[in-house]
Amino acid sequence: QVQLVESGGGLVQPGGSLRLSCAASGLLISINTMGWYRQAPGKQRELVARIASGGSTNYADSVKGRFTISRDNAKNTVYLQMNSLKPEDTAVYYCNAGPVATVSNYRDYWGKGTLVTVSS
């Protein structure tokens, strides 16, 4: 079984910064892509940023230039540095990893989410 554990959420003022972390643990063999999604109240979950095992990245247009995703493959950990935060960035942020190869399956996994609130 693979688990994703997120950390780093919280309350921050507009213009501030936060860094999210997500560590994958368990009997995994490899992880293809790791990424961050978010879901604001009353809205659908959307992609924020993702990074492939080789380092290529994708960002939502709304966060380009403000957020940076990075990854430590040795630690099976993905990070999201969020700068110049805006109230509209307020959401629950979910970590995603996949496909993840284990000895028994090959599938995506999700974390439980961490709340980011941007407010003065």
Side-chain angles (χ1 to χ4, degrees):
Q1 184 72 355
V2 175
Q3 290 186 324
L4 302 181
V5 178
E6 300 118 329
S7 61
L11 173 64
V12 64
Q13 292 186 341
S17 298
L18 281 176
R19 188 187 192 216
L20 305 183
S21 300
C22 171
S25 63
L27 298 178
L28 59 90
I29 298 171
S30 64
I31 304 174
N32 188 343
T33 300
M34 300 187 78
W36 292 93
Y37 291 71
R38 66 186 181 187
Q39 187 166 19
K43 295 188 176 181
Q44 290 188 327
R45 190 174 299 189
E46 63 176 1
L47 172 69
V48 176
R50 59 189 175 194
I51 182 168
S53 56
S56 60
T57 58
N58 295 99
Y59 292 92
D61 288 342
S62 60
V63 307
K64 284 180 180 177
R66 301 188 297 123
F67 291 10
T68 302
I69 191 169
S70 61
R71 176 173 176 171
D72 185 334
N73 289 329
K75 296 181 179 180
N76 293 320
T77 299
V78 64
Y79 306 95
L80 185 68
Q81 178 66 44
M82 304 186 292
N83 299 328
S84 303
L85 282 160
K86 305 175 181 180
E88 51 264 43
D89 294 317
T90 295
V92 177
Y93 284 69
Y94 296 92
C95 177
N96 172 268
V100 177
T102 68
V103 293
S104 58
N105 59 35
Y106 187 66
R107 50 160 284 196
D108 279 30
Y109 290 87
W110 289 90
K112 294 182 178 180
T114 185
L115 178 63
V116 172
T117 304
V118 185
S119 176
S120 54

